[in-house]
Coordinates of all heavy atoms in Angstrom, one line a residue:
M162 N 15.4 3.6 -0.7 CA 13.9 3.5 -0.7 C 13.5 2.9 0.6 O 13.9 1.8 1.0 CB 13.4 2.6 -1.9 CG 11.9 2.4 -1.9 SD 11.0 3.7 -2.6 CE 11.4 3.5 -4.4
S163 N 12.6 3.6 1.3 CA 12.2 3.1 2.6 C 10.7 3.0 2.8 O 10.2 2.3 3.7 CB 12.7 4.0 3.8 OG 12.2 5.4 3.6
V164 N 9.9 3.7 1.9 CA 8.4 3.7 2.0 C 7.8 3.4 0.7 O 8.2 4.0 -0.3 CB 7.9 5.0 2.6 CG1 6.4 5.0 2.7 CG2 8.5 5.2 4.0
L165 N 6.8 2.6 0.6 CA 5.9 2.5 -0.6 C 4.5 2.8 -0.2 O 4.0 2.2 0.8 CB 6.0 1.0 -1.1 CG 7.3 0.6 -1.8 CD1 7.3 -0.8 -2.3 CD2 7.7 1.6 -2.9
A166 N 3.9 3.7 -0.9 CA 2.5 4.0 -0.6 C 1.6 3.4 -1.7 O 1.5 3.9 -2.8 CB 2.4 5.6 -0.6
I167 N 1.0 2.3 -1.3 CA 0.1 1.6 -2.3 C -1.1 1.0 -1.5 O -1.1 1.0 -0.2 CB 0.8 0.4 -3.0 CG1 1.4 -0.5 -1.9 CG2 1.8 0.9 -4.0 CD1 2.0 -1.8 -2.5
W168 N -2.1 0.6 -2.2 CA -3.2 -0.2 -1.5 C -2.6 -1.5 -1.1 O -2.0 -2.2 -1.9 CB -4.4 -0.4 -2.4 CG -5.2 0.9 -2.7 CD1 -5.4 1.9 -1.8 CD2 -5.9 1.2 -3.9 NE1 -6.2 2.8 -2.4 CE2 -6.5 2.5 -3.6 CE3 -6.0 0.6 -5.1 CZ2 -7.3 3.1 -4.6 CZ3 -6.8 1.2 -6.1 CH2 -7.4 2.5 -5.8
T169 N -2.9 -1.9 0.1 CA -2.3 -3.2 0.6 C -3.4 -4.1 1.1 O -3.1 -5.2 1.5 CB -1.3 -2.9 1.8 OG1 -2.0 -2.2 2.8 CG2 -0.2 -2.1 1.3
G170 N -4.7 -3.7 1.2 CA -5.7 -4.5 1.7 C -6.5 -5.2 0.6 O -6.3 -5.1 -0.6
A171 N -7.5 -6.0 1.1 CA -8.5 -6.7 0.2 C -7.8 -7.5 -0.9 O -6.8 -8.2 -0.7 CB -9.5 -5.7 -0.3
A172 N -8.2 -7.2 -2.1 CA -7.7 -8.0 -3.3 C -6.2 -7.6 -3.6 O -5.6 -8.4 -4.3 CB -8.5 -7.8 -4.5
M173 N -5.7 -6.5 -3.0 CA -4.3 -6.1 -3.3 C -3.3 -6.8 -2.4 O -2.1 -6.9 -2.8 CB -4.2 -4.6 -3.2 CG -5.0 -3.8 -4.1 SD -4.5 -3.9 -5.8 CE -5.7 -5.1 -6.5
A174 N -3.8 -7.3 -1.3 CA -2.9 -7.9 -0.3 C -2.0 -9.0 -0.9 O -0.8 -9.1 -0.5 CB -3.6 -8.4 0.9
P175 N -2.5 -9.9 -1.7 CA -1.6 -11.0 -2.2 C -0.4 -10.5 -3.1 O 0.5 -11.3 -3.2 CB -2.6 -11.8 -3.1 CG -3.9 -11.5 -2.6 CD -3.9 -10.1 -2.2
Y176 N -0.4 -9.3 -3.5 CA 0.7 -8.8 -4.4 C 1.8 -8.1 -3.6 O 2.8 -7.9 -4.1 CB 0.1 -7.8 -5.4 CG -0.8 -8.5 -6.4 CD1 -2.2 -8.3 -6.3 CD2 -0.4 -9.3 -7.4 CE1 -3.1 -9.0 -7.1 CE2 -1.2 -9.9 -8.3 CZ -2.6 -9.8 -8.1 OH -3.5 -10.4 -9.0
V177 N 1.5 -7.9 -2.3 CA 2.5 -7.2 -1.4 C 3.8 -8.0 -1.4 O 4.9 -7.4 -1.5 CB 2.0 -7.0 0.0 CG1 3.0 -6.5 0.9 CG2 0.9 -5.9 -0.1
P178 N 3.8 -9.4 -1.2 CA 5.1 -10.1 -1.2 C 5.9 -9.9 -2.5 O 7.2 -9.8 -2.4 CB 4.7 -11.5 -1.0 CG 3.4 -11.4 -0.3 CD 2.7 -10.3 -0.9
Q179 N 5.3 -9.8 -3.6 CA 6.0 -9.6 -4.9 C 6.6 -8.2 -5.0 O 7.7 -8.1 -5.5 CB 5.0 -9.8 -6.1 CG 4.6 -11.3 -6.3 CD 3.5 -11.4 -7.4 OE1 2.3 -11.3 -7.1 NE2 4.0 -11.5 -8.6
V180 N 5.9 -7.3 -4.5 CA 6.4 -5.9 -4.4 C 7.7 -5.9 -3.5 O 8.7 -5.3 -3.9 CB 5.4 -4.9 -3.9 CG1 6.0 -3.5 -3.6 CG2 4.2 -4.8 -4.8
Q181 N 7.6 -6.6 -2.4 CA 8.8 -6.6 -1.5 C 10.0 -7.3 -2.2 O 11.1 -6.9 -2.0 CB 8.4 -7.3 -0.2 CG 7.5 -6.5 0.7 CD 7.1 -7.3 1.9 OE1 6.6 -8.4 1.8 NE2 7.2 -6.7 3.1
E182 N 9.7 -8.3 -3.0 CA 10.8 -9.0 -3.7 C 11.6 -8.0 -4.6 O 12.8 -8.1 -4.6 CB 10.2 -10.1 -4.5 CG 11.3 -10.9 -5.3 CD 10.7 -12.1 -6.1 OE1 9.5 -12.2 -6.2 OE2 11.5 -12.8 -6.8
Y183 N 10.9 -7.1 -5.2 CA 11.5 -6.2 -6.1 C 12.1 -5.0 -5.4 O 13.1 -4.4 -5.8 CB 10.6 -5.7 -7.2 CG 10.2 -6.8 -8.2 CD1 8.9 -7.2 -8.3 CD2 11.2 -7.3 -9.1 CE1 8.6 -8.2 -9.3 CE2 10.8 -8.3 -10.0 CZ 9.5 -8.7 -10.1 OH 9.2 -9.7 -11.0
F184 N 11.4 -4.5 -4.4 CA 11.7 -3.2 -3.7 C 12.5 -3.4 -2.4 O 12.9 -2.4 -1.8 CB 10.5 -2.4 -3.5 CG 10.0 -1.8 -4.8 CD1 9.2 -2.5 -5.7 CD2 10.3 -0.5 -5.1 CE1 8.7 -1.9 -6.9 CE2 9.9 0.1 -6.3 CZ 9.1 -0.6 -7.2
G185 N 12.5 -4.6 -1.9 CA 13.3 -4.8 -0.6 C 12.5 -4.6 0.6 O 11.2 -4.6 0.6
D186 N 13.2 -4.4 1.7 CA 12.6 -4.2 3.0 C 12.1 -2.8 3.2 O 12.8 -1.9 3.6 CB 13.6 -4.6 4.1 CG 13.1 -4.5 5.5 OD1 11.8 -4.6 5.6 OD2 13.8 -4.4 6.5
V187 N 10.8 -2.6 2.9 CA 10.2 -1.2 2.9 C 9.1 -1.2 3.9 O 8.5 -2.3 4.3 CB 9.8 -0.8 1.6 CG1 10.9 -0.6 0.6 CG2 8.7 -1.7 1.0
T188 N 8.7 0.0 4.3 CA 7.5 0.2 5.1 C 6.3 0.6 4.1 O 6.5 1.3 3.2 CB 7.7 1.3 6.1 OG1 8.7 1.0 7.0 CG2 6.4 1.6 6.9
F189 N 5.2 0.0 4.4 CA 4.0 0.3 3.5 C 3.1 1.3 4.2 O 2.8 1.2 5.4 CB 3.2 -1.0 3.2 CG 3.9 -1.9 2.3 CD1 4.7 -3.0 2.8 CD2 3.9 -1.7 0.9 CE1 5.3 -3.9 1.9 CE2 4.6 -2.6 0.1 CZ 5.3 -3.7 0.6
R190 N 2.7 2.3 3.5 CA 1.8 3.3 4.0 C 0.6 3.4 3.0 O 0.6 4.0 2.0 CB 2.5 4.7 4.0 CG 3.7 4.8 4.9 CD 3.4 4.5 6.4 NE 2.3 5.3 7.0 CZ 2.4 5.9 8.1 NH1 3.5 5.9 8.8 NH2 1.4 6.6 8.6
D191 N -0.4 2.6 3.3 CA -1.6 2.6 2.5 C -2.3 3.9 2.6 O -2.3 4.6 3.6 CB -2.6 1.5 3.1 CG -3.7 1.1 2.2 OD1 -4.5 2.0 1.8 OD2 -3.8 -0.1 1.8
H192 N -2.7 4.4 1.4 CA -3.3 5.7 1.4 C -4.8 5.7 1.5 O -5.5 6.7 1.2 CB -2.8 6.6 0.3 CG -2.6 6.0 -1.0 ND1 -3.6 5.5 -1.8 CD2 -1.4 5.7 -1.7 CE1 -3.0 5.0 -2.9 NE2 -1.8 5.1 -2.9
G193 N -5.4 4.6 1.9 CA -6.8 4.6 2.3 C -7.8 4.4 1.1 O -7.4 4.2 0.0
L194 N -9.0 4.3 1.5 CA -10.1 4.1 0.6 C -10.4 5.4 -0.2 O -10.7 6.4 0.4 CB -11.4 3.7 1.3 CG -12.6 3.4 0.5 CD1 -12.4 2.4 -0.6 CD2 -13.8 2.9 1.4
S195 N -10.3 5.3 -1.5 CA -10.5 6.5 -2.3 C -11.0 6.1 -3.7 O -10.8 4.9 -4.1 CB -9.3 7.4 -2.5 OG -8.3 6.7 -3.1
A196 N -11.7 7.0 -4.3 CA -12.3 6.7 -5.6 C -12.5 8.0 -6.3 O -12.3 9.1 -5.7 CB -13.6 5.9 -5.5
S197 N -12.9 8.0 -7.6 CA -13.2 9.2 -8.2 C -14.3 10.0 -7.5 O -14.4 11.3 -7.6 CB -13.7 9.0 -9.7 OG -12.7 8.3 -10.4
E198 N -15.2 9.3 -6.8 CA -16.2 10.0 -6.0 C -15.7 10.7 -4.8 O -16.4 11.5 -4.2 CB -17.3 8.9 -5.6 CG -18.1 8.3 -6.7 CD -17.4 7.2 -7.4 OE1 -16.2 6.8 -7.0 OE2 -18.0 6.5 -8.3
G199 N -14.5 10.4 -4.4 CA -13.9 11.2 -3.3 C -13.0 10.3 -2.4 O -13.0 9.1 -2.6
R200 N -12.2 10.9 -1.5 CA -11.4 10.2 -0.5 C -12.3 10.0 0.7 O -12.9 10.9 1.2 CB -10.2 11.0 -0.2 CG -9.0 10.8 -1.2 CD -7.8 11.6 -0.7 NE -7.3 11.1 0.6 CZ -6.7 10.0 0.9 NH1 -6.3 9.2 -0.1 NH2 -6.3 9.7 2.1
M201 N -12.2 8.7 1.2 CA -13.1 8.4 2.3 C -12.3 8.2 3.6 O -12.7 8.6 4.7 CB -13.9 7.1 2.0 CG -15.0 7.3 1.0 SD -14.3 7.4 -0.7 CE -14.8 5.8 -1.3
T202 N -11.2 7.5 3.6 CA -10.5 7.2 4.8 C -9.0 7.6 4.7 O -8.4 7.6 3.6 CB -10.5 5.6 5.2 OG1 -9.8 4.9 4.2 CG2 -12.0 5.2 5.2
T203 N -8.4 7.8 5.8 CA -7.0 8.1 5.9 C -6.3 7.3 7.0 O -6.5 7.4 8.2 CB -6.8 9.6 6.3 OG1 -7.4 10.4 5.3 CG2 -5.3 10.0 6.4
P204 N -5.5 6.3 6.5 CA -4.7 5.5 7.5 C -3.6 6.3 8.1 O -2.9 7.1 7.4 CB -4.1 4.4 6.6 CG -5.0 4.3 5.4 CD -5.4 5.7 5.2
L205 N -3.5 6.2 9.4 CA -2.5 7.0 10.2 C -1.4 6.1 10.7 O -0.4 6.7 11.2 CB -3.2 7.7 11.3 CG -4.3 8.7 11.0 CD1 -4.9 9.3 12.2 CD2 -3.7 9.8 10.1
E206 N -1.5 4.8 10.5 CA -0.4 3.9 11.0 C 0.3 3.2 9.8 O -0.3 3.0 8.7 CB -1.1 2.8 11.9 CG -1.9 3.4 13.0 CD -1.0 4.2 14.0 OE1 0.2 3.9 14.1 OE2 -1.6 5.1 14.6
A207 N 1.5 2.8 10.0 CA 2.3 2.1 9.0 C 1.8 0.7 8.9 O 1.3 0.1 9.8 CB 3.8 2.1 9.3
N208 N 1.9 0.1 7.7 CA 1.6 -1.3 7.4 C 0.2 -1.7 7.8 O 0.0 -2.7 8.4 CB 2.6 -2.2 8.1 CG 4.1 -1.9 7.7 OD1 4.4 -1.9 6.5 ND2 5.0 -1.8 8.6

């Protein structure tokens, strides 16, 4: 496992260390701001 694609910003940021504890040394690829109303942003950089 080398990549986790989850929300990592705002209120989700405090949970990232716990995810790393279980999943190890991974790269995070946030998939951006999205909702049922549509996808708004696309992050192009890791972490």
Side-chain angles (χ1 to χ4, degrees):
M162 177 80 75
S163 61
V164 178
L165 291 180
I167 54 173
W168 287 327
T169 59
M173 297 293 100
Y176 296 101
V177 169
Q179 290 173 269
V180 173
Q181 288 175 309
E182 182 180 2
Y183 290 116
F184 285 82
D186 184 18
V187 295
T188 298
F189 290 96
R190 300 299 306 228
D191 195 300
H192 36 72
L194 178 56
S195 63
S197 298
E198 292 84 357
R200 278 184 56 79
M201 289 77 104
T202 67
T203 300
L205 297 176
E206 306 297 330
N208 301 312

